[in-house]
Amino acid sequence: MGSEGEMARKPRFLCLHGFRTSAAILKKQLTIKWPESVLQNLDLVFVDAPYPAEGKSEVEGIFDPPYYEWFQFNKEFTEYMNFEECLAYIEELMIKHAPIDGLLGFSQGAILSAGLPGLQSKGLALTKVPKIKFLIIVGGAKFKAKSVAADAYASPIQCPSLHFLGELDFLKPHGKELLLHCGDAVVVHHPRGHTIPRLGKIHSLFYQNSITCLNSTTILV
Protein backbone atom coordinates (compact mmCIF):
# COMPACT_ATOMS: atom_id res chain seq x y z
CA MET A 1 0.00 0.00 0.00
CA GLY A 2 1.26 3.48 -0.81
CA SER A 3 1.25 6.29 1.67
CA GLU A 4 -1.64 8.73 1.84
CA GLY A 5 -1.59 11.20 -1.04
CA GLU A 6 0.04 8.82 -3.50
CA MET A 7 -1.89 7.65 -6.54
CA ALA A 8 -1.26 4.98 -9.13
CA ARG A 9 -0.51 6.02 -12.70
CA LYS A 10 -0.07 4.32 -16.05
CA PRO A 11 3.45 3.13 -16.89
CA ARG A 12 5.23 5.66 -19.12
CA PHE A 13 7.21 4.24 -22.03
CA LEU A 14 9.78 6.04 -24.14
CA CYS A 15 9.07 4.77 -27.68
CA LEU A 16 12.07 4.17 -29.95
CA HIS A 17 11.22 3.86 -33.64
CA GLY A 18 12.87 1.71 -36.29
CA PHE A 19 15.88 2.45 -38.50
CA ARG A 20 15.32 5.38 -40.86
CA THR A 21 11.74 5.99 -39.77
CA SER A 22 10.45 8.46 -37.17
CA ALA A 23 8.44 9.03 -34.02
CA ALA A 24 5.45 10.11 -36.13
CA ILE A 25 5.59 6.88 -38.13
CA LEU A 26 5.73 4.64 -35.06
CA LYS A 27 2.88 6.58 -33.44
CA LYS A 28 0.76 6.24 -36.57
CA GLN A 29 1.44 2.49 -36.83
CA LEU A 30 0.54 1.84 -33.20
CA THR A 31 -2.55 4.03 -33.35
CA ILE A 32 -3.84 2.22 -36.45
CA LYS A 33 -2.92 -1.33 -35.47
CA TRP A 34 -3.40 -1.45 -31.70
CA PRO A 35 -6.88 -0.85 -30.24
CA GLU A 36 -7.65 1.93 -27.83
CA SER A 37 -8.41 -0.69 -25.18
CA VAL A 38 -4.69 -1.51 -25.22
CA LEU A 39 -3.23 1.96 -25.75
CA GLN A 40 -5.26 3.51 -22.95
CA ASN A 41 -3.31 1.44 -20.45
CA LEU A 42 -0.01 3.03 -21.44
CA ASP A 43 1.50 6.51 -21.36
CA LEU A 44 3.51 6.56 -24.59
CA VAL A 45 6.15 9.17 -25.36
CA PHE A 46 7.29 9.12 -29.01
CA VAL A 47 10.70 10.58 -29.85
CA ASP A 48 12.86 10.94 -32.96
CA ALA A 49 16.34 9.44 -33.14
CA PRO A 50 19.24 11.92 -33.07
CA TYR A 51 20.55 11.47 -36.60
CA PRO A 52 18.86 12.22 -39.95
CA ALA A 53 18.81 9.16 -42.23
CA GLU A 54 22.08 8.82 -44.12
CA GLY A 55 20.54 6.70 -46.87
CA LYS A 56 17.29 5.53 -48.40
CA SER A 57 14.49 4.54 -46.06
CA GLU A 58 12.58 1.31 -46.67
CA VAL A 59 9.34 3.11 -45.81
CA GLU A 60 9.86 5.79 -48.45
CA GLY A 61 6.68 6.07 -50.50
CA ILE A 62 4.65 4.58 -47.65
CA PHE A 63 5.28 7.11 -44.90
CA ASP A 64 6.35 10.71 -45.34
CA PRO A 65 9.82 11.96 -44.34
CA PRO A 66 11.78 13.09 -42.44
CA TYR A 67 13.47 9.83 -41.41
CA TYR A 68 15.97 9.26 -38.60
CA GLU A 69 18.40 6.64 -37.31
CA TRP A 70 19.69 5.97 -33.80
CA PHE A 71 23.27 5.12 -34.76
CA GLN A 72 25.22 3.86 -37.76
CA PHE A 73 26.98 0.55 -38.42
CA ASN A 74 29.14 -1.29 -40.92
CA LYS A 75 27.79 -3.83 -43.43
CA GLU A 76 28.33 -6.72 -41.02
CA PHE A 77 26.60 -4.85 -38.14
CA THR A 78 29.69 -5.53 -36.02
CA GLU A 79 30.93 -1.95 -35.64
CA TYR A 80 28.84 0.99 -34.49
CA MET A 81 29.30 4.70 -35.09
CA ASN A 82 27.84 7.43 -32.85
CA PHE A 83 26.68 4.76 -30.41
CA GLU A 84 27.88 6.46 -27.21
CA GLU A 85 26.29 9.69 -28.41
CA CYS A 86 23.04 7.80 -28.99
CA LEU A 87 23.06 6.45 -25.42
CA ALA A 88 23.63 9.94 -24.03
CA TYR A 89 20.80 11.28 -26.17
CA ILE A 90 18.37 8.64 -24.88
CA GLU A 91 19.36 9.49 -21.31
CA GLU A 92 18.62 13.16 -22.01
CA LEU A 93 15.19 12.18 -23.35
CA MET A 94 14.48 10.10 -20.26
CA ILE A 95 15.34 13.08 -18.06
CA LYS A 96 13.27 15.46 -20.19
CA HIS A 97 10.20 13.21 -20.18
CA ALA A 98 10.61 11.83 -16.66
CA PRO A 99 9.45 9.70 -15.09
CA ILE A 100 10.14 7.03 -17.74
CA ASP A 101 9.30 3.53 -16.50
CA GLY A 102 10.01 1.45 -19.59
CA LEU A 103 11.08 1.34 -23.21
CA LEU A 104 9.01 0.32 -26.23
CA GLY A 105 11.06 -0.32 -29.33
CA PHE A 106 10.67 -1.51 -32.90
CA SER A 107 13.53 -2.87 -35.04
CA GLN A 108 16.65 -0.76 -34.35
CA GLY A 109 14.71 0.84 -31.52
CA ALA A 110 13.91 -2.63 -30.15
CA ILE A 111 17.55 -3.72 -30.29
CA LEU A 112 18.47 -0.61 -28.33
CA SER A 113 15.63 -1.05 -25.85
CA ALA A 114 16.49 -4.67 -25.08
CA GLY A 115 20.20 -3.93 -24.65
CA LEU A 116 19.93 -0.87 -22.44
CA PRO A 117 18.97 -2.57 -19.14
CA GLY A 118 22.18 -4.60 -19.21
CA LEU A 119 24.33 -1.59 -20.04
CA GLN A 120 22.57 0.37 -17.33
CA SER A 121 23.13 -2.36 -14.73
CA LYS A 122 26.88 -2.22 -15.43
CA GLY A 123 26.98 1.55 -15.12
CA LEU A 124 27.76 2.03 -18.82
CA ALA A 125 24.56 3.87 -19.80
CA LEU A 126 21.61 5.74 -18.28
CA THR A 127 23.45 6.41 -15.03
CA LYS A 128 21.47 9.60 -14.31
CA VAL A 129 18.01 8.03 -14.48
CA PRO A 130 16.13 5.30 -12.54
CA LYS A 131 16.46 1.70 -13.65
CA ILE A 132 14.32 0.56 -16.57
CA LYS A 133 11.35 -1.38 -15.18
CA PHE A 134 9.63 -2.73 -18.31
CA LEU A 135 10.35 -3.53 -21.96
CA ILE A 136 8.05 -3.94 -24.98
CA ILE A 137 10.08 -5.36 -27.86
CA VAL A 138 8.67 -5.55 -31.41
CA GLY A 139 10.87 -7.14 -34.06
CA GLY A 140 13.90 -7.11 -31.80
CA ALA A 141 17.32 -8.76 -31.72
CA LYS A 142 20.65 -8.62 -29.92
CA PHE A 143 23.48 -6.20 -30.53
CA LYS A 144 25.96 -7.79 -32.95
CA ALA A 145 28.95 -5.63 -32.05
CA LYS A 146 30.88 -7.92 -29.69
CA SER A 147 32.23 -5.09 -27.58
CA VAL A 148 28.68 -3.86 -26.85
CA ALA A 149 27.03 -7.29 -26.58
CA ALA A 150 29.56 -8.52 -24.02
CA ASP A 151 28.34 -5.88 -21.58
CA ALA A 152 24.67 -5.72 -22.57
CA TYR A 153 24.06 -9.44 -22.01
CA ALA A 154 26.63 -10.18 -19.31
CA SER A 155 23.76 -11.08 -16.98
CA PRO A 156 20.07 -11.89 -17.61
CA ILE A 157 17.68 -9.01 -18.28
CA GLN A 158 15.69 -8.97 -15.06
CA CYS A 159 12.90 -6.50 -15.83
CA PRO A 160 9.59 -7.85 -17.24
CA SER A 161 9.60 -7.85 -21.04
CA LEU A 162 6.90 -8.38 -23.65
CA HIS A 163 8.14 -9.57 -27.07
CA PHE A 164 6.37 -9.67 -30.44
CA LEU A 165 7.81 -12.25 -32.87
CA GLY A 166 6.65 -12.39 -36.51
CA GLU A 167 6.63 -15.76 -38.25
CA LEU A 168 7.92 -14.11 -41.45
CA ASP A 169 10.22 -11.61 -39.77
CA PHE A 170 13.82 -11.94 -40.97
CA LEU A 171 14.85 -11.05 -37.40
CA LYS A 172 12.81 -13.83 -35.80
CA PRO A 173 15.81 -16.15 -35.16
CA HIS A 174 17.66 -13.23 -33.57
CA GLY A 175 14.58 -12.31 -31.53
CA LYS A 176 14.44 -15.87 -30.20
CA GLU A 177 18.12 -15.67 -29.31
CA LEU A 178 17.43 -12.45 -27.41
CA LEU A 179 14.80 -14.28 -25.33
CA LEU A 180 17.52 -16.51 -23.91
CA HIS A 181 18.83 -13.47 -22.05
CA CYS A 182 15.47 -12.37 -20.65
CA GLY A 183 14.59 -13.58 -17.17
CA ASP A 184 10.94 -12.49 -17.15
CA ALA A 185 9.69 -12.57 -20.75
CA VAL A 186 6.26 -13.03 -22.31
CA VAL A 187 6.04 -13.71 -26.07
CA VAL A 188 3.27 -12.89 -28.54
CA HIS A 189 3.56 -14.64 -31.93
CA HIS A 190 2.01 -13.11 -35.04
CA PRO A 191 1.90 -14.28 -38.70
CA ARG A 192 3.41 -11.16 -40.30
CA GLY A 193 6.93 -10.08 -41.14
CA HIS A 194 9.12 -7.25 -39.85
CA THR A 195 6.36 -4.84 -38.95
CA ILE A 196 4.19 -3.56 -36.13
CA PRO A 197 1.57 -6.35 -35.88
CA ARG A 198 -2.12 -5.66 -35.95
CA LEU A 199 -3.55 -6.96 -32.71
CA GLY A 200 -6.50 -9.29 -33.26
CA LYS A 201 -9.05 -10.12 -30.59
CA ILE A 202 -6.98 -12.91 -29.03
CA HIS A 203 -3.75 -10.91 -29.17
CA SER A 204 -5.50 -7.89 -27.65
CA LEU A 205 -6.82 -9.90 -24.72
CA PHE A 206 -3.38 -11.45 -24.19
CA TYR A 207 -1.69 -8.08 -24.46
CA GLN A 208 -4.17 -6.44 -22.09
CA ASN A 209 -3.48 -9.17 -19.53
CA SER A 210 0.25 -8.52 -19.90
CA ILE A 211 -0.25 -4.78 -19.43
CA THR A 212 -2.43 -5.48 -16.42
CA CYS A 213 0.54 -7.32 -14.94
CA LEU A 214 2.73 -4.28 -15.62
CA ASN A 215 0.16 -2.02 -14.02
CA SER A 216 -0.13 -4.35 -11.03
CA THR A 217 3.43 -3.35 -10.15
CA THR A 218 1.77 -0.11 -9.02
CA ILE A 219 3.67 2.96 -10.07
CA LEU A 220 3.14 5.75 -7.56
CA VAL A 221 3.39 9.49 -8.01
Side-chain angles (χ1 to χ4, degrees):
M1 294 291 291
S3 62
E4 188 176 351
E6 291 179 325
M7 64 178 182
R9 61 175 175 80
K10 295 184 289 187
R12 178 174 295 172
F13 284 81
L14 192 70
C15 301
L16 310 185
H17 61 76
F19 184 62
R20 293 180 182 170
T21 63
S22 69
I25 292 172
L26 180 58
K27 183 176 182 179
K28 185 173 183 178
Q29 289 177 308
L30 288 178
T31 302
I32 291 173
K33 295 184 176 183
W34 290 8
E36 181 60 27
S37 59
V38 168
L39 296 176
Q40 69 183 2
N41 291 295
L42 303 171
D43 181 4
L44 302 179
V45 179
F46 297 89
V47 293
D48 287 319
Y51 301 104
E54 294 189 358
K56 182 178 175 61
S57 170
E58 291 189 1
V59 301
E60 192 173 323
I62 303 172
F63 294 103
D64 293 332
Y67 311 120
Y68 302 92
E69 53 198 48
W70 294 99
F71 57 91
Q72 298 79 40
F73 41 82
N74 63 359
K75 291 182 179 180
E76 294 76 27
F77 305 100
T78 55
E79 294 181 11
Y80 299 157
M81 288 71 80
N82 294 313
F83 185 72
E84 296 296 329
E85 292 81 357
C86 170
L87 300 185
Y89 175 76
I90 292 174
E91 183 172 58
E92 290 173 6
L93 291 174
M94 293 182 72
I95 294 171
K96 178 181 178 180
H97 299 286
I100 295 295
D101 305 297
L103 301 175
L104 182 157
F106 171 65
S107 194
Q108 189 184 38
I111 294 170
L112 263 173
S113 297
L116 280 170
L119 295 176
Q120 186 182 40
S121 69
K122 296 200 72 173
L124 299 174
L126 310 184
T127 59
K128 300 176 184 178
V129 296
K131 285 190 175 182
I132 297 166
K133 300 181 183 72
F134 315 114
L135 295 174
I136 299 177
I137 305 299
V138 186
K142 292 173 56 179
F143 289 124
K144 290 191 70 175
K146 291 182 179 180
S147 59
V148 177
D151 292 317
Y153 317 113
S155 58
I157 299 168
Q158 297 296 340
C159 64
S161 56
L162 180 61
H163 302 250
F164 289 84
L165 294 182
E167 292 302 313
L168 302 179
D169 190 347
F170 69 95
L171 281 182
K172 181 184 176 182
H174 305 286
K176 293 174 70 174
E177 184 180 357
L178 171 64
L179 286 170
L180 299 176
H181 298 273
C182 299
D184 189 6
V186 175
V187 183
V188 176
H189 295 273
H190 66 88
R192 302 293 300 280
H194 193 61
T195 185
I196 301 291
R198 187 178 298 276
L199 295 186
K201 188 174 294 185
I202 294 176
H203 282 154
S204 294
L205 289 172
F206 185 85
Y207 187 87
Q208 283 177 274
N209 289 338
S210 299
I211 294 302
T212 299
C213 290
L214 296 187
N215 278 318
S216 69
T217 305
T218 308
I219 299 169
L220 302 170
V221 294

